[in-house]
Amino acid sequence: IIKPVITMFKYTLDNKRYHTLNYYFKNRYGKKTFKVSLNGNFSCPNKKNGNGCIFCSRLGSGDFAGNKEKDLITQFNEVKTIMEKKWPDSYYIGYFQANTNTYAPLPILKEKYETILSLPNVVGLNIATRSDAITEECYDYLEELSKRTNLIVELGLQSIHEKTLDFINRGHDLDNFETAVKELQKRNIETVVHIINGLPGETKEDMIETVKYLNNLKIDGIKIHMLHIIEDTNLADLYKEKPFHILTKEEYIDIVVSQLEYLSPEIVIHRITGDPKKEDLIEPTWLLKKFCVLNDIDKELVKRNTYQGKKVVN
């Protein structure tokens, strides 16, 4: 007799102890759904005003996005063709990933977004941007867009601590970020926030404070990254000149598991580790074994008999 698998956590299809993206997609769309990373050839206000964030790659944190030299439909179809071979009946989400994807005049934004939305089986858009790069007319358009498709706006934050934001040359403060989140929430636009663990000078408690703050802000989803140093960045120059501590895999896993405990179970975990390109990576090399990191996070959750939201006080 084969015993059924008992799900330990409500928001999972594969016995995880956190709210998986796989569960979110299946629950929302009813079948296999993929994000197609796109490069809309946008710039970034922080690069215009200076050197940008010290960790940002030359591709604007869009290392796995499409080739900006190709049009958006070509980029989309290249990914779709690969996915269709394994899952021929799927839905797709256009993911505008590289650089700041609201940093352009409204007519340009509309042309790019609507081009992808017009494609068959596209059920939504994810738009990665900055809190200081959304105009009032852009907010209005995003609100209108969210009423006719499944829209997620992704905001980079990285840390709530002003000393860290200054060090990484983030280019905006926490108040600016919070204002943007509340404006998106007021318009019923789903919001996902990026954070980075292991930023120089931050303690485990600092990183936990960041997720506590975001939990209280009632965001919809989160992307947890491990700080990684890649070639041709200001961070790489700093590290080569004066090496600083990089979290070990064990330290990272310990921090992530503790962070999950302070996040409401309703918050979707869109990402829980980094995904650097091998040829550009300086440190930490353990990030290249992504599935080992994911498996070890699962094991640590089981070992501690804990789960996402365990320490959330309602």
Side-chain angles (χ1 to χ4, degrees):
I1 299 174
I2 299 176
K3 295 182 179 180
V5 175
I6 300 173
T7 301
M8 298 288 297
F9 186 76
K10 179 180 178 182
Y11 301 101
T12 182
L13 300 173
D14 44 8
N15 223 26
K16 301 281 188 181
R17 292 184 175 220
Y18 55 88
H19 194 148
T20 65
L21 187 60
N22 187 36
Y23 174 89
Y24 169 82
F25 281 156
K26 198 68 181 289
N27 191 55
R28 185 162 192 171
Y29 303 113
K31 64 179 180 181
K32 198 70 177 178
T33 305
F34 295 99
K35 288 199 289 186
V36 178
S37 294
L38 302 165
N39 190 327
N41 199 17
F42 291 99
S43 183
C44 173
N46 204 28
K47 289 181 178 178
K48 182 178 179 180
N49 297 331
N51 293 319
C53 299
I54 63 172
F55 54 79
C56 193
S57 73
R58 59 184 178 273
L59 294 176
S61 296
D63 301 283
F64 294 96
N67 183 346
K68 67 181 181 181
E69 304 302 325
K70 298 179 181 180
D71 66 79
L72 289 171
I73 292 179
T74 299
Q75 291 182 39
F76 183 90
N77 285 334
E78 285 179 347
V79 176
K80 182 171 180 269
T81 299
I82 296 170
M83 297 301 185
E84 278 182 330
K85 292 178 181 177
K86 192 169 184 179
W87 291 281
D89 181 32
S90 302
Y91 286 144
Y92 298 92
I93 294 168
Y95 179 24
F96 286 87
Q97 181 183 18
N99 282 307
T100 305
N101 294 276
T102 58
Y103 187 54
L106 190 59
I108 293 177
L109 299 180
K110 287 184 175 181
E111 188 272 327
K112 292 180 186 292
Y113 300 165
E114 301 293 346
T115 292
I116 297 301
L117 276 179
S118 68
L119 298 176
N121 293 325
V122 171
V123 293
L125 293 178
N126 279 29
I127 298 170
T129 190
R130 293 168 54 91
S131 60
D132 59 352
I134 312 176
T135 64
E136 190 67 24
E137 63 176 2
C138 182
Y139 277 119
D140 291 340
Y141 172 56
L142 293 174
E143 182 177 14
E144 184 268 321
L145 202 57
S146 71
K147 292 175 180 177
R148 55 188 172 90
T149 193
N150 296 310
L151 176 67
I152 288 177
V153 172
E154 297 187 10
L155 294 177
L157 171 63
Q158 320 317 346
S159 171
I160 65 168
H161 304 288
E162 296 294 346
K163 62 176 183 179
T164 303
L165 296 179
D166 289 341
F167 175 78
I168 65 175
N169 193 39
R170 184 62 197 162
H172 65 73
D173 60 15
L174 187 60
D175 286 343
N176 179 272
F177 167 82
E178 185 169 322
T179 298
V181 170
K182 290 181 176 178
E183 186 66 31
L184 291 166
Q185 290 174 332
K186 184 177 75 176
R187 297 166 184 266
N188 295 313
I189 298 171
E190 208 166 325
T191 307
V192 172
V193 178
H194 293 241
I195 64 169
I196 297 177
N197 287 335
L199 289 165
E202 290 209 349
T203 64
K204 175 182 176 180
E205 290 69 30
D206 289 332
M207 297 174 228
I208 290 174
E209 285 301 316
T210 290
V211 298
K212 285 182 177 179
Y213 164 85
L214 292 173
N215 187 67
N216 289 335
L217 208 54
K218 300 189 184 305
I219 62 171
D220 299 289
I222 191 169
K223 287 189 171 182
I224 303 174
H225 302 264
M226 167 60 200
L227 178 72
H228 50 276
I229 304 169
I230 55 178
E231 294 286 1
D232 296 330
T233 61
N234 291 337
L235 185 63
D237 294 339
L238 287 170
Y239 184 73
K240 290 173 182 177
E241 182 179 331
K242 189 177 181 180
F244 48 83
H245 177 67
I246 304 294
L247 295 179
T248 64
K249 183 176 74 167
E250 292 72 25
E251 288 172 324
Y252 180 75
I253 289 167
D254 171 58
I255 290 165
V256 168
V257 169
S258 297
Q259 287 174 320
L260 289 172
E261 292 179 318
Y262 290 101
L263 288 170
S264 166
E266 285 75 28
I267 294 175
V268 183
I269 310 300
H270 286 246
R271 178 177 283 277
I272 204 166
T273 185
D275 209 8
K277 281 189 172 181
K278 182 178 181 180
E279 59 268 27
D280 295 330
L281 182 66
I282 298 174
E283 288 287 353
T285 55
W286 57 258
L287 262 183
L288 295 172
K289 297 182 178 180
K290 177 180 178 180
F291 291 105
C292 290
V293 178
L294 294 174
N295 289 336
D296 286 348
I297 289 171
D298 292 338
K299 289 175 184 177
E300 186 66 19
L301 285 162
V302 172
K303 180 181 176 182
R304 296 192 200 178
N305 191 27
T306 192
Y307 50 87
Q308 182 180 340
K310 185 175 183 179
K311 294 183 180 179
V312 172
V313 179
N314 294 321

